[in-house]
Amino acid sequence: PLLLMFDFGLTPACLVGQVGEAGQLYILREMFDDDNGLKQFLDEQVCPMLTSEDFRGMPVRAVCDPAGMQRKTATASSREAVSSTLTPVNEILRHGINVMPAKTNDFSSRKAAVDRLLTRLTTGGTPALLIDKKCTRLIKGFISGYFFKRKTGYNDLYRDVPEKNKYSHVHDAL
């Protein structure tokens, strides 16, 4: 099955992957939207990708940030927002994608999971994480864009969480 990995917020992101027979994680596509909300992101990017020739008819599993269970306004109008609220998870479900929240949103646990992929070879000697070269934002994030900022006034101390920027959303999805 395809594995969709979602990060929410004002700049939603989704990675499309598959788990190989030897346990590798293949990242096949990256999608992100720097200017729109989740509904438009799903309408314009995620759902068309799922019905594209490459992926049409494939079973889909999706996992998301546990914060996706929190209520968010579904409309831009404050008048309507009082009576119309959705969670990001509900919005994904409304688009016909079965999704479940990740077990934890703890940064150290999430980082450790990616570290295990980056430092492991499968029994056949294949890297455990393989990323399609079309996933340029994810790759550039690994090279330099996803980073920990130095603490002010210290040369050798860094913050506990990565800098929020255009690379962090696809990395948080991973």
Side-chain angles (χ1 to χ4, degrees):
L2 287 180
L3 176 60
L4 304 183
M5 298 159 267
F6 284 96
D7 182 55
F8 304 121
L10 298 175
T11 53
C14 178
L15 296 177
V16 180
Q18 286 183 313
V19 177
E21 289 181 18
Q24 314 95 317
L25 177 59
Y26 297 98
I27 303 298
L28 307 171
R29 298 282 189 285
E30 66 179 4
M31 293 174 281
F32 48 86
D33 196 323
D34 295 329
D35 296 317
N36 296 302
L38 182 60
K39 181 183 182 315
Q40 191 166 352
F41 177 62
L42 291 164
D43 289 342
E44 294 178 1
Q45 292 190 51
V46 177
C47 290
M49 181 274 311
L50 290 173
T51 59
S52 71
E53 190 174 318
D54 290 341
F55 302 114
R56 186 179 310 124
M58 294 183 77
V60 175
R61 292 182 13 211
V63 66
C64 68
D65 178 346
M69 297 298 292
Q70 296 173 1
R71 295 176 77 176
K72 304 285 182 189
T73 58
T75 63
S77 165
S78 60
R79 224 175 335 110
E80 295 172 84
V82 174
S83 62
S84 176
T85 57
L86 285 176
T87 67
V89 166
N90 287 341
E91 187 64 44
I92 292 173
L93 290 168
R94 275 184 0 101
H95 280 78
I97 300 169
N98 226 352
V99 63
M100 58 187 260
K103 291 179 184 174
T104 182
N105 200 23
D106 174 64
F107 178 75
S108 59
S109 299
R110 293 182 300 123
K111 182 180 179 296
V114 175
D115 285 347
R116 280 191 299 276
L117 290 170
L118 291 171
T119 58
R120 182 173 64 85
L121 296 176
T122 65
T123 53
T126 306
L129 178 62
L130 298 162
I131 303 170
D132 190 285
K133 63 183 176 186
K134 294 177 198 159
C135 300
T136 57
R137 189 173 282 198
L138 185 63
I139 292 168
K140 285 180 183 177
F142 273 118
I143 293 169
S144 65
Y146 187 71
F147 66 95
F148 294 82
K149 197 172 186 178
R150 280 198 169 101
K151 289 186 176 182
T152 306
Y154 298 92
N155 286 334
D156 57 350
L157 292 178
Y158 292 83
R159 294 184 183 174
D160 295 334
V161 294
E163 182 72 8
K164 283 291 185 186
N165 60 29
K166 70 180 189 177
Y167 303 101
S168 64
H169 306 291
V170 291
H171 275 267
D172 288 347
L174 181 63

